[in-house]
Amino acid sequence: MKKPLVSYIFPIFNESGNIALLYQTLTELLAKHDTEYDFEFIFINDGSRDNSLELLVALQRRDSRVMVIDLSRNFGHQIAVTAGLDHARGDAVIIMDSDLQDPPAVSLELLAKWRQGYEVVYAQRRTRKDGFFKQLTARWFYIVLDKLTDLRIPRDTGDFRLMDRRVVDELVKFREHSRFIRGLVSYVGFRQTAVLFDRDERHAGTTGYPLGKMIDFAIDGLLSSSSYPLRLMSQVGFGFAAISFIGIIYIVVLHIFWPQVTVPGWTMIVVSILLIGGLQTIMLGVLGEYLSRVFTEVQNRPLYIVARVYSNQKER
């Protein structure tokens, strides 16, 4: 009987300090399961500026199971993962970070759940060794996302997950540029379950998601999963229209019955102008965010450009 093929996907951006240990840890772990599964390891070099590509090519020359996809420049983590999904051939596909914060041993627990019939198995963080600010903002991001979208995206999850071939085949049909993969996986559906794990510290290097990128990622996640901000703008507009109408009635009543208390002044006028102007600016900004995404999609450019693919000891 043919063994199931399991594909591991690793986006790589300046991870030269982690590649050797990641490969060693993973292959030693999976060597005990060679009788159950076949494996392939897909590394996507997302425009690394260190010697990550050289290390990956050296791995590929030693191990024919390794595929290296070298993108022409840095396209971002979510696009790199998409490139891996496009090239994965496995019956099950596992997405993992390459900094060893996602323990390789947990992937075997994901496989065990897959063998039980689940088509999406996501790794859910029981504990994480991140700073207080990152943990707090991540918690609030998922709370807001849960309130504003119809999708049920599990909290304390990242992209570390296993997906069945059927799920991957559906997922690769989605080609929008502002990608939020965990949201797309929730949208696709199928039978999903969680495996709890304790997230480790980064082994080496620095995070590819500093504060600025985290904010951009959060905006992409919210706007790609919900149109509620547009509806909220209308609701806020109607609310302020109602307040303004009440204010007009109040002023008219004062002017008719108590004209002595209506002292001409500029304070209320200035406050009103600043308040309405600020709200309009915010609303225009929200519209601009959606419009910029429409512009990007209308351009219909490819999600990524592959410079080279190293596979089966050949450069393509």
Side-chain angles (χ1 to χ4, degrees):
M1 183 177 178
K2 185 179 178 182
K3 294 183 290 186
L5 175 63
V6 179
S7 301
Y8 281 81
I9 293 176
F10 299 98
I12 301 291
F13 179 67
N14 296 340
E15 298 288 359
S16 59
N18 296 313
I19 290 172
L21 181 59
L22 171 66
Y23 175 78
Q24 178 184 351
T25 303
L26 188 65
T27 52
E28 289 178 356
L29 178 72
L30 298 182
K32 306 171 185 177
H33 299 272
D34 281 342
T35 57
E36 302 174 63
Y37 306 101
D38 288 323
F39 299 101
E40 69 172 0
F41 311 112
I42 302 174
F43 295 89
I44 305 92
N45 180 47
D46 188 25
S48 296
R49 293 187 291 270
D50 58 7
N51 65 332
S52 292
L53 179 60
E54 290 78 4
L55 295 174
L56 294 174
V57 172
L59 284 183
Q60 199 283 322
R61 288 171 178 165
R62 299 202 315 264
D63 189 344
S64 62
R65 299 174 299 176
V66 172
M67 174 187 290
V68 180
I69 303 169
D70 181 28
L71 301 185
S72 61
R73 63 172 178 84
N74 178 257
F75 286 90
H77 179 273
Q78 300 290 284
I79 298 296
V81 171
T82 301
L85 293 172
D86 290 341
H87 288 79
R89 301 176 295 116
D91 301 294
V93 178
I94 297 174
I95 303 170
M96 292 181 61
D97 284 343
S98 52
D99 54 12
L100 293 168
Q101 286 188 289
D102 298 337
V106 177
S107 66
L108 296 178
E109 298 181 47
L110 305 183
L111 281 168
K113 288 289 186 181
W114 176 62
R115 296 301 288 263
Q116 293 176 17
Y118 292 99
E119 290 146 317
V120 176
V121 188
Y122 49 86
Q124 191 167 35
R125 301 172 189 126
R126 181 167 43 214
T127 62
R128 55 189 300 175
K129 296 179 181 179
D130 294 317
F132 172 77
F133 178 75
K134 186 170 184 179
Q135 293 189 45
L136 180 65
T137 53
R139 184 179 301 113
W140 276 104
F141 168 69
Y142 280 104
I143 290 173
V144 172
L145 195 64
D146 186 55
K147 297 295 184 183
L148 299 189
T149 70
D150 295 329
L151 298 177
R152 298 281 72 87
I153 301 175
R155 296 183 187 180
D156 296 317
T157 60
D159 293 321
F160 184 19
R161 64 190 61 218
L162 175 150
M163 293 178 288
D164 184 80
R165 179 78 255 166
R166 294 173 61 198
V167 179
V168 174
D169 288 342
E170 295 300 324
L171 196 59
V172 296
K173 297 176 183 178
F174 294 74
R175 307 309 289 180
E176 60 255 43
H177 288 70
S178 299
R179 303 186 73 77
F180 185 56
I181 289 176
R182 65 200 72 167
L184 294 178
V185 174
S186 294
Y187 178 86
V188 169
F190 294 95
R191 293 187 64 201
Q192 304 195 12
T193 191
V195 167
L196 296 177
F197 79 107
D198 300 306
R199 197 166 198 235
D200 294 331
E201 294 182 5
R202 166 179 275 271
H203 172 258
T206 58
T207 178
Y209 271 107
L211 181 59
K213 284 191 175 181
M214 285 297 297
I215 293 173
D216 291 340
F217 182 63
I219 293 173
D220 282 343
L222 178 60
L223 299 189
S224 66
S225 304
S226 174
S227 60
Y228 182 76
L230 292 174
R231 298 196 302 272
L232 181 62
M233 289 166 55
S234 298
Q235 294 168 5
V236 171
F238 280 117
F240 272 85
I243 294 172
S244 300
F245 182 71
I246 294 172
I248 290 171
I249 294 176
Y250 174 72
I251 292 172
V252 170
V253 170
L254 281 180
H255 182 74
I256 294 174
F257 295 101
W258 296 280
Q260 69 275 9
V261 301
T262 57
V263 180
W266 57 270
T267 304
M268 189 63 183
I269 295 175
V270 171
V271 169
S272 299
I273 291 174
L274 291 176
L275 179 61
I276 299 302
L279 283 172
Q280 288 176 335
T281 303
I282 293 172
M283 291 178 178
L284 286 174
V286 173
L287 285 173
E289 288 289 341
Y290 278 100
L291 186 59
S292 69
R293 283 156 175 75
V294 173
F295 173 70
T296 300
E297 298 303 330
V298 168
Q299 287 178 309
N300 199 30
R301 294 177 179 175
L303 292 180
Y304 56 87
I305 298 171
V306 176
R308 295 183 267 319
V309 175
Y310 300 86
S311 180
N312 294 328
Q313 300 181 351
K314 293 181 181 179
E315 180 182 338
R316 300 191 301 190

